[in-house]
Amino acid sequence: MLALVDCNSCYASCEQIFRPDLRGKPVVVLSNNDGFVVARSKEAKSLGIGDLEPFFKIEHRLRLHQVAIFSSNYPLYGDISHRVMTTLRQFSPEVEVYSIDEMFLEFQGLRKPWLDYGRQIRQTLWRDVRMPVGVGIAPSKTLAKLANRAAKTLPGCEGVCALDAPEKWQWFQRRTPVDKVWGIGRRLSRRLAGFGVETAYDLAQANPKVLRRYSNVNIERTIEELNGVPCIPLEEQPPVKKQIYCTRSFGTKLSELQPIQQAVTLYASRAAEKLRAQQSLVKAIHLFLHTSPHEPNYYSRSTIVQMPYPTDDTRLIVQLAKEAIAGLYRPGRHFMKAGIGLVELVPGSLGQGDLFTSGQPAHIGRTMRVLDQVNQRFGRGTLFLGAEGVQKKWKMRQAYTSPAYTTRWGDLPEVVT
């Protein structure tokens, strides 16, 4: 058996942990630069506030209904997510962190009353982290996803659902549109409608060999999973990324080269940090720069830069990125966004050069390890390249950011007795 544990309205719930006065009240969290609504509490959803609605269009309505508004506070959300995942590991030694707010747990060899075990998981997370979750338990990943959906949508489940018998999962499959099945998007669901497949139950009863001819092997696996046959294994280690991108819209439009280069320096530093975390090296980087597509004379340029050798050296990546972005820059333009992608990655073990090409010097690895260790211990940004600048006027807008309750000493909440 498997369980999928999913945080309810994760970002909004993270904000409510240290603001218990907001429990039971509408809360929304905004995207980068306070542009769109990316998370809504249950109460905010009941007001008709949609996902990804532009903030400027609904700000008046939010204030009218006294909705609590927050800018994205990713250090807080990441830390709360880590606490949730650490707590969940006590319930199973085999886990897969599927996303920042979802984790699969495998219960191989366990024989428990599944509803009681699910309630124990849910109660423990509320007691230890104050995070509300839904728990779905079933024999396959796809069914666990369905069980989790049932846990959140059926009031009688009270946050926990176990689809541990065919009659149970078939009952819910008949009431679930096929586009709500894990891995079945809108485009594929429209194609399936041509075969008379409208619900998850229709898909479970379909001939997998026939549908595979019009799709791929994944549809066959999904059908098997919907019938309780596990075909998608647990990934205890996340797969290594083939590309790493870091892009941001500027807090204000930039017309001068220096602040654009400062921003790209920060983006390159973040990307290089992720590169080292997965023990990879980069052979080529992709840079782009553009103005707003909603304004006249839209300008957009990009380029690929080959590295002299496979590297994870932040300084070298930044140096070439700054030179490349200077080539894309045009005076008189008001730029809205820039980004960098590390696009040709190889394992760190393959970084040795050949007879005619020098590889990365050994001391670079030691220098980068010191950089990462200091920032991990004392907080991101403790050590940074001077090319990022100090007065970062280009930083994204975050007018409604909550304190860094768990990652900054000065923001620790005080308990008054």
Side-chain angles (χ1 to χ4, degrees):
M1 295 291 283
L2 292 162
L4 174 66
V5 181
D6 182 16
C7 300
N8 298 342
S9 304
C10 181
Y11 292 175
S13 294
C14 287
E15 298 291 355
Q16 290 172 320
I17 289 175
F18 297 96
R19 289 287 306 277
D21 58 303
L22 294 179
R23 294 204 181 278
K25 297 181 180 179
V27 175
V28 298
V29 178
L30 306 177
S31 65
N32 293 340
N33 285 311
D34 296 340
F36 300 87
V37 173
V38 294
R40 303 154 293 156
S41 67
K42 177 179 64 176
E43 295 77 16
K45 294 175 184 178
S46 68
L47 292 174
I49 299 169
D51 192 25
L52 298 179
E53 287 205 51
F55 177 53
F56 77 92
K57 287 186 177 182
I58 63 170
E59 182 177 2
H60 174 73
R61 182 151 57 103
L62 295 178
R63 300 197 184 281
L64 181 66
H65 292 285
Q66 297 182 320
V67 178
I69 303 167
F70 291 94
S71 301
S72 296
N73 188 342
Y74 296 119
L76 174 65
Y77 309 152
D79 187 67
I80 297 300
S81 172
H82 176 72
R83 295 178 187 212
V84 168
M85 303 310 174
T86 301
T87 302
L88 285 173
R89 290 180 190 277
Q90 67 184 275
F91 293 97
S92 172
E94 298 181 44
V95 299
E96 175 189 335
V97 179
Y98 182 65
S99 68
I100 191 172
D101 62 345
E102 293 178 277
M103 175 182 266
F104 285 104
L105 294 83
E106 187 164 17
F107 299 141
Q108 186 173 3
L110 291 178
R111 294 291 183 270
K112 292 196 176 273
W114 297 119
L115 281 177
D116 291 342
Y117 201 50
R119 293 188 187 105
Q120 183 184 347
I121 291 172
R122 193 167 187 265
Q123 291 163 2
T124 301
L125 283 172
W126 179 254
R127 182 194 67 202
D128 294 354
V129 190
R130 276 298 188 264
M131 175 60 70
V133 299
V135 181
I137 302 175
S140 70
K141 275 187 168 183
T142 304
L143 281 177
K145 276 276 191 178
L146 275 184
N148 188 275
R149 178 178 173 82
K152 291 187 172 185
T153 58
L154 299 180
C157 289
E158 298 181 340
V160 180
C161 176
L163 300 180
D164 51 358
E167 60 271 17
K168 293 182 181 180
W169 65 64
Q170 289 173 6
W171 181 91
F172 190 64
Q173 286 172 356
R174 288 188 175 95
R175 291 156 178 80
T176 304
V178 70
D179 63 349
K180 301 301 182 184
V181 174
W182 188 37
I184 306 295
R186 292 183 180 178
R187 183 180 301 177
L188 181 55
S189 66
R190 288 195 295 267
R191 195 183 310 165
L192 291 172
F195 295 91
V197 176
E198 301 286 348
T199 67
Y201 180 78
D202 295 335
L203 181 59
Q205 302 304 309
N207 187 322
K209 302 299 181 183
V210 172
L211 291 186
R212 179 177 176 176
R213 292 192 218 125
Y214 299 93
S215 182
N216 54 44
V217 68
N218 292 328
I219 194 74
E220 189 172 2
R221 291 173 182 162
T222 298
I223 292 173
E224 294 290 345
E225 290 250 325
L226 285 172
N227 286 287
V229 180
C231 298
I232 305 174
L234 213 64
E235 293 182 354
E236 297 186 51
Q237 293 295 329
V240 173
K241 293 181 179 179
K242 297 180 180 179
Q243 296 182 339
I244 298 173
Y245 270 83
C246 188
T247 69
R248 296 284 189 280
S249 295
F250 305 131
T252 58
K253 293 177 183 176
L254 302 177
S255 57
E256 297 180 0
L257 176 59
Q258 184 181 26
I260 295 174
Q261 288 182 316
Q262 290 177 351
V264 168
T265 297
L266 174 62
Y267 305 160
S269 299
R270 295 281 172 82
E273 182 182 323
K274 296 177 182 178
L275 179 75
R276 292 191 292 273
Q278 68 173 35
Q279 299 181 351
S280 297
L281 303 174
V282 62
K283 297 172 64 178
I285 59 176
H286 171 220
L287 277 298
F288 71 84
L289 179 67
H290 66 74
T291 61
S292 172
H294 304 294
E295 295 182 357
N297 301 318
Y298 172 61
Y299 176 88
S300 177
R301 294 291 184 275
S302 65
T303 187
I304 298 288
V305 179
Q306 295 293 326
M307 310 303 289
Y309 47 78
T311 183
D312 60 6
D313 186 353
T314 295
R315 298 165 300 177
L316 178 58
I317 295 171
V318 165
Q319 176 189 341
L320 297 180
K322 287 177 61 181
E323 293 173 0
I325 214 71
L328 302 179
Y329 170 78
R330 293 294 181 272
R333 304 276 186 173
H334 296 274
F335 293 97
M336 185 187 76
K337 188 174 185 178
I340 180 171
L342 312 183
V343 293
E344 289 188 30
L345 307 186
V346 296
S349 58
L350 301 181
Q352 183 176 357
D354 56 31
L355 178 63
F356 305 101
T357 305
S358 59
Q360 177 167 276
H363 72 274
I364 298 297
R366 295 192 293 270
T367 303
M368 292 299 106
R369 278 195 296 275
V370 170
L371 174 66
D372 292 338
Q373 288 169 359
V374 169
N375 285 330
Q376 287 169 6
R377 181 174 180 181
F378 298 103
R380 175 177 281 171
T382 302
L383 289 180
F384 62 92
L385 299 187
E388 288 182 22
V390 178
Q391 301 295 330
K392 302 174 182 178
K393 299 179 180 179
W394 43 267
K395 289 189 72 172
M396 62 182 179
R397 293 188 303 275
Q398 291 180 297
Y400 309 97
T401 309
S402 55
Y405 296 109
T406 64
T407 55
R408 188 182 300 138
W409 286 108
D411 290 346
L412 285 176
E414 298 180 3
V415 178
V416 180
T417 59

